[in-house]
Amino acid sequence: MAINDNTGLIISRPDLQAGLSPVIEAGTAPVAYLNEYLAAFDVSCAFCAKHTPHKHGYTVKMEDGRIALCGDICASRFFGSDRALALSHDLGKRMQQASLRQAMAQAKARAPSVLRSLPKTLLDFEEAALEAVCRVGRETSHLSLRHQPIPGIDALKFASVMAPRRLAKAKGALEKLQKLNLDGDDAVLGTVLADFGVLETQLEIGLRFISHAATLFTRENFSRVNEFCRYQQGTVDRFSMVVGFEGEHCLHQFPRDGRQPIHVHLGKLPSIPSFEQIRLALRGVDEQSSNG
């Protein structure tokens, strides 16, 4: 957490807090640490006899409600190491909770702009493209097709490792994030935040795949694919790509054993957003400000 990050748990001007008690009598221990401070200049400890000047310490709360400043080193000496450690641990836990909720609030605020980049047409294409690429990949992965100079052939590299629908999974995580109650259980928040933490990778891989797939699915490319298949002397299925008058794509698979052809309808190739655009949205960076 950063100093003065709006949580009030780490501050740089402890002296500006209202109601500070300048002196706390000997033998009195606090019940809680309210915050940790890293002061810009020396402040006085309220617990030691010489009111030792220091920059690092805690604002503490006494049982009677008084608050005071205590240096980091003085805390262990006056409260005992076990009590000082327990109070510090409790503050650290509250810092983690505040940091988690702050991160979730920022992520939740960014989710709508990212979701707008993932329309249904894009997700439908991802699903169909995965099926089509996996069909071609299963027939040719053990051969040398992927090493041929065919535009978009890198899509076949995803046939085995790209089983999940990355874009659909990312959209689901974003929708779950939008519905999240930020005052809910920390474990639930942590799980959702972990999913959000890998969104950037999920989206990058998903967009790379469909970009390769969109380049691969042309008649010219599949003429070359079929030429390759013919050279295998009936050991692999044949494929063809048909593009209708309205631009709708359909992959046809012709099994080598003579069974009925299999058809995978891909529809029209969607408009594919740039990963850089989505990355900026995920990180909360305004595109105009990043350009100017």
Side-chain angles (χ1 to χ4, degrees):
M1 295 175 69
I3 298 177
N4 303 328
D5 62 355
N6 298 321
T7 67
L9 296 176
I10 300 183
I11 61 176
S12 62
R13 292 296 305 271
D15 56 305
L16 296 181
Q17 299 176 103
L20 289 172
S21 296
V23 178
I24 298 294
E25 59 275 11
T28 308
V31 293
Y33 285 174
L34 299 182
N35 58 55
E36 180 178 2
Y37 55 81
L38 298 168
F41 48 82
D42 286 338
V43 295
S44 297
C45 179
F47 288 81
C48 58
K50 295 184 179 181
H51 304 297
T52 307
H54 62 277
K55 289 185 171 70
H56 179 210
Y58 302 96
T59 304
V60 304
K61 181 180 180 180
M62 313 307 293
E63 189 172 5
D64 59 10
R66 288 177 296 165
I67 64 172
L69 305 183
C70 182
D72 179 43
I73 296 175
C74 291
S76 295
R77 193 164 43 140
F78 286 97
F79 314 148
S81 58
D82 289 345
R83 186 175 185 83
L85 183 62
L87 292 173
S88 177
H89 177 76
D90 177 70
L91 177 61
K93 184 176 180 180
R94 282 184 280 129
M95 286 178 175
Q96 287 182 333
Q97 293 172 334
S99 180
L100 174 62
R101 281 167 172 74
Q102 197 172 64
M104 293 304 298
Q106 293 170 351
K108 188 173 182 176
R110 296 194 291 268
S113 62
V114 183
L115 282 170
R116 286 193 291 271
S117 301
L118 302 174
K120 185 176 183 299
T121 52
L122 200 67
L123 302 185
D124 289 345
F125 178 74
E126 178 189 39
E127 182 177 17
L130 275 171
E131 181 183 352
V133 165
C134 284
R135 287 187 178 279
V136 177
R138 278 197 295 269
E139 289 299 310
T140 62
S141 60
H142 60 294
L143 303 171
S144 59
L145 175 60
R146 68 174 58 187
H147 302 298
Q148 300 296 311
I150 297 176
I153 203 66
D154 281 345
L156 294 185
K157 294 178 181 178
F158 293 86
S160 58
V161 301
M162 186 76 188
R165 294 168 56 198
R166 304 273 181 171
L167 299 184
K169 186 174 181 179
K171 184 175 183 180
L174 287 164
E175 290 173 337
K176 186 176 181 181
L177 176 62
Q178 280 194 306
K179 299 175 182 176
L180 187 66
N181 176 11
L182 295 179
D183 295 324
D185 182 79
D186 287 341
V188 175
L189 291 176
T191 299
V192 176
L193 186 60
D195 289 342
F196 189 81
V198 298
L199 269 183
E200 193 166 306
T201 300
Q202 297 275 5
L203 289 166
E204 182 177 17
I205 296 174
L207 289 171
R208 281 173 53 204
F209 164 70
I210 62 174
S211 295
H212 286 311
T215 304
L216 175 65
F217 295 143
T218 67
R219 293 191 188 94
E220 293 77 14
N221 282 344
F222 274 84
S223 293
R224 301 172 75 177
V225 170
N226 275 331
E227 181 181 358
F228 170 85
C229 291
R230 284 197 297 272
Y231 287 150
Q232 307 311 313
Q233 299 179 342
T235 60
V236 297
D237 294 354
R238 290 185 301 107
F239 299 88
S240 69
M241 177 61 59
V242 174
V243 183
F245 290 115
E246 297 184 0
E248 295 194 350
H249 290 60
C250 185
L251 175 73
H252 300 291
Q253 179 178 1
F254 301 96
R256 55 188 176 275
D257 59 7
R259 286 179 290 117
Q260 288 295 313
I262 299 167
H263 312 289
V264 181
H265 296 278
L266 295 154
K268 295 180 180 180
L269 300 185
S271 174
I272 302 173
S274 72
F275 172 66
E276 181 64 14
Q277 177 186 2
I278 289 184
R279 185 184 68 83
L280 292 175
L282 275 172
R283 297 183 180 184
V285 179
D286 181 73
E287 194 167 13
Q288 286 186 339
S289 65
S290 67
N291 292 333

